[in-house]
Amino acid sequence: MSLPSELRDRAFRWMADDPDPETKLELQRVVAAAMGGAPGAVDELADRMNGTLSFGTAGLRGPVRAGSNGMNRAVVVRATAGVASWLRHKGHAGGTVVVGRDARHGSAEFATAAAEVLAAAGLTVRTLGPLPTPVTAFLVRSLGAVAGIQITASHNPPADNGYKVYTDDGSQIVPPDDRLIEAAIGASPAARSVPLSHGALPVSDAQVDTYLARAASLPRGTARALRVVLTPMHGVGGATALEALRRAGFPDVTLVPEQASPDPDFPTVDFPNPEEPGAADLLLQHAATLDADLAVALDPDADRCALGVRFPDGWRMLRGDETGALLGAHVLSTLDRVAHPDPLVATTIVSSSLLSLIAAAHGVRHAETLTGFKWLVRAGEGLVFAYEEALGLCVDPEAVRDKDGISAAILACDLAATRTASGRTLPDALDELAVAHGVHLTEQISLRFTDIAGIPPLLAALRAHPPTTLGGAAVTQDNPAPDIVRLRADGLRVVIRPSGTEPKVKAYLEIVEPVPAAASLSQARATATRRMTALRDEVAALLKA
């Protein structure tokens, strides 16, 4: 396959404007291979130069590599020039910007590049070393900053990195700010022409300490006898989590040794996401060996938290909906109603409906938003708790207006210790919620597309011609957004939407089975499982039709 001259010229122009000699040389080698007819080289170059990374509501995310369609110094410099222009447009010239990072490949270099661009633009820049993402979100609020930037790809594969932007209230950007920033990036000069300055200053240890102090203040109970095993999954959350838990009164915490130190290659897991099958196997093995009371998994930037619990038949990780219901009930049952006279809890449209029933039982408002914490933290006034099924938990929205795995872990330890002190367990708590509100069983299935263009027609067909029945019951349709299909029938719900990061359609299934009495809980769970199996088959057939 010959190299098109237009592609060659785009690559040459990019190399001429690249301020990083290493990525310039990397792209030169790909161009030379393409010009020499090396197998696959033209396709690789075309992919690297296929436009630019899109600046969505989570910022940028992509593979660390040379070219316009990758995470590299040139892309970060131009992105930050766009952010600086956006801040001037909003009247924030001269304000403070917090720049944080994780320990992925390229994170230190990208954070330095962002800080240098912002400083040259006249902004006051405060930088962090490799620390959890929620620390950056917290400091934006506590320092009165006008914005925050976190260099992280969260739980993406090792080859990726990303660039996340917070507004002046410490929450993720939402439209139209994402489009304004993307337009400003498009209008920015070539990376080598963007001014740089070394005027950034590090955030002090005392200021980072305010995050630890706030997180340590979260426990509601007095019980502290708890043995915990925790994995930061090769990320940056280990030391911060240990110190926060120690200050909260939980010193008996053991890190999974194979995963305790930051390692951008994530060598012990196929995919550094606690949701992924097998990712928490080492954690559960150590929990069983040490006879722990609770297992905690953070993702690599520590904004997500998963819990592992010992059941009568052995250890297993809780689903995000199970953890969300447990911590939501804990927050509401211990809430200071003088300080919070009209509290609100929130979940997303794809999360379990159980939290709405828990809220009603406490006489508390409940809101449902589109997916993502950028929407959850904006659910309404009085927010005291929010979660999404993908292990995101916001247990202290007054301090961190985003998901925070470390504060969630502290509150989980508080709940587990409180129940252990009274001779009860977290599985017992799940049983109590099921008896009170019914068994709520959730699952997710997905269909991968080789061509993303096939996704809109599928969703349009489902909207226009939904099934008349699911699970043997009549279906009603109430779609919360143009690209989302939501189907309801007696005791079940199905939400179908496109993935925001992959060429997939995802379907989120929920079965609700009443529990007439505690003695019938096992039977109700068995019935719910049978119904879910049948529903999964029905929805899989719908997606493939």
Side-chain angles (χ1 to χ4, degrees):
M1 183 178 181
S2 61
L3 174 63
S5 60
E6 185 274 336
L7 174 58
R8 179 201 61 204
D9 292 346
R10 273 193 290 125
F12 280 147
R13 286 195 298 272
W14 182 265
M15 288 187 289
D17 292 332
D18 191 344
D20 186 336
E22 291 187 9
T23 50
K24 182 181 293 189
L25 179 59
E26 179 186 332
L27 196 60
Q28 284 175 346
R29 288 170 176 161
V30 177
V31 171
M35 294 178 69
V42 172
D43 288 340
E44 181 183 351
L45 183 62
D47 185 46
R48 287 172 178 258
M49 299 304 302
N50 183 22
T52 59
L53 291 180
S54 175
F55 200 96
T57 52
L60 302 171
R61 194 170 290 188
V64 177
R65 62 181 182 180
S68 61
N69 192 29
M71 279 293 296
N72 53 65
R73 182 178 175 84
V75 166
V76 168
V77 164
R78 294 193 72 241
T80 310
V83 170
S85 175
W86 166 71
L87 288 172
R88 286 193 297 271
H89 172 76
K90 292 175 73 72
H92 292 320
T96 297
V97 181
V98 180
V99 178
R101 67 175 178 90
D102 63 12
R104 282 177 173 267
H105 293 294
S107 287
E109 177 189 0
F110 299 155
T112 297
E116 291 174 346
V117 173
L118 294 168
L123 292 149
T124 300
V125 186
R126 308 302 302 274
T127 59
L128 291 162
L131 285 169
T133 293
V135 175
T136 299
F138 171 86
L139 287 170
V140 170
R141 289 175 68 79
S142 69
L143 295 179
V146 298
I149 293 171
Q150 179 76 1
I151 304 299
T152 182
S154 192
H155 53 263
N156 271 40
D160 289 355
N161 212 324
Y163 183 109
K164 185 175 184 178
V165 177
Y166 290 102
T167 64
D168 56 359
D169 68 350
S171 62
Q172 297 179 46
I173 58 170
V174 293
D177 284 332
D178 57 337
R179 295 192 295 271
L180 292 173
I181 293 173
E182 189 157 40
I185 295 171
S188 297
R192 64 181 297 179
S193 300
V194 174
L196 305 175
S197 172
H198 300 292
L201 295 173
V203 173
S204 70
D205 290 343
Q207 288 164 331
V208 174
D209 191 76
T210 61
Y211 169 82
L212 293 168
R214 177 74 184 210
S217 72
L218 292 177
R220 269 82 164 159
T222 58
R224 294 293 185 272
L226 195 75
R227 179 172 298 165
V228 181
V229 176
L230 184 146
T231 176
M233 209 154 284
H234 300 293
V236 296
T240 304
L242 277 179
E243 179 60 14
L245 285 163
R246 185 193 67 78
R247 294 191 188 191
F250 299 103
D252 191 359
V253 182
T254 300
L255 294 185
V256 174
E258 299 93 333
Q259 300 172 334
S261 299
D263 187 330
D265 293 319
F266 309 112
T268 67
V269 291
D270 293 330
F271 199 70
N273 181 351
E275 283 187 297
E276 289 294 313
D281 285 356
L282 274 174
L283 171 68
L284 297 181
Q285 289 170 18
H286 282 282
T289 299
L290 294 175
D291 193 26
D293 300 302
L294 183 67
V296 177
L298 305 176
D299 71 341
D301 70 328
D303 66 347
R304 286 175 169 84
C305 173
L307 302 181
V309 174
R310 180 170 44 205
F311 286 81
D313 58 349
W315 284 84
R316 76 166 174 87
M317 300 302 293
L318 300 183
R319 294 179 179 274
D321 282 319
E322 291 175 312
T323 300
L326 286 172
L327 293 190
H330 184 49
V331 167
L332 292 181
S333 64
T334 57
L335 192 65
D336 181 349
R337 295 300 289 268
V338 174
H340 303 280
D342 187 23
L344 171 72
V345 295
T347 50
T348 68
I349 58 172
V350 300
S351 301
S352 171
S353 60
L354 176 56
L355 186 61
S356 66
L357 300 179
I358 296 170
H362 286 274
V364 167
R365 293 177 296 133
H366 171 266
E368 193 176 76
T369 74
L370 296 176
T371 55
F373 265 85
K374 59 183 176 286
W375 303 118
L376 275 172
V377 299
R378 294 176 169 90
E381 293 296 322
L383 185 69
V384 296
F385 175 79
Y387 93 91
E388 62 182 358
E389 47 76 39
L391 304 180
L393 295 143
C394 179
V395 303
D396 187 18
E398 292 180 358
V400 180
R401 292 182 60 79
D402 199 1
K403 50 191 176 290
D404 181 353
I406 290 172
S407 63
I410 289 173
L411 205 64
C413 289
D414 176 44
L415 171 60
T418 298
R419 294 194 66 88
T420 298
S422 63
R424 298 174 296 167
T425 66
L426 292 184
D428 292 339
L430 290 172
D431 290 349
E432 291 160 14
L433 290 174
V435 171
H437 306 295
V439 173
H440 286 65
L441 187 60
T442 55
E443 283 196 17
Q444 181 190 139
I445 59 176
S446 61
L447 177 65
R448 181 175 289 275
F449 283 70
T450 54
D451 184 359
I452 198 170
I455 293 177
L458 170 64
L459 295 174
L462 285 172
R463 289 173 68 91
H465 305 288
T468 56
T469 63
L470 284 172
V475 167
T476 60
Q477 181 178 193
D478 62 325
N479 302 323
D483 61 345
I484 296 172
V485 177
R486 182 163 59 189
L487 308 172
R488 300 182 190 271
D490 185 28
L492 66 85
R493 185 200 65 194
V494 177
V495 181
I496 303 171
R497 71 175 185 95
S499 168
T501 56
E502 299 175 277
K504 286 181 178 180
V505 167
K506 293 184 175 183
Y508 302 82
L509 319 182
E510 181 178 39
I511 291 288
V512 180
E513 182 67 27
V515 181
S520 59
L521 177 57
S522 295
Q523 181 180 348
R525 283 204 169 111
T527 301
T529 299
R530 288 196 300 271
R531 291 178 59 203
M532 179 60 79
T533 299
L535 180 63
R536 187 170 57 241
D537 291 343
E538 285 187 276
V539 173
L542 278 177
L543 296 181
K544 295 175 182 177

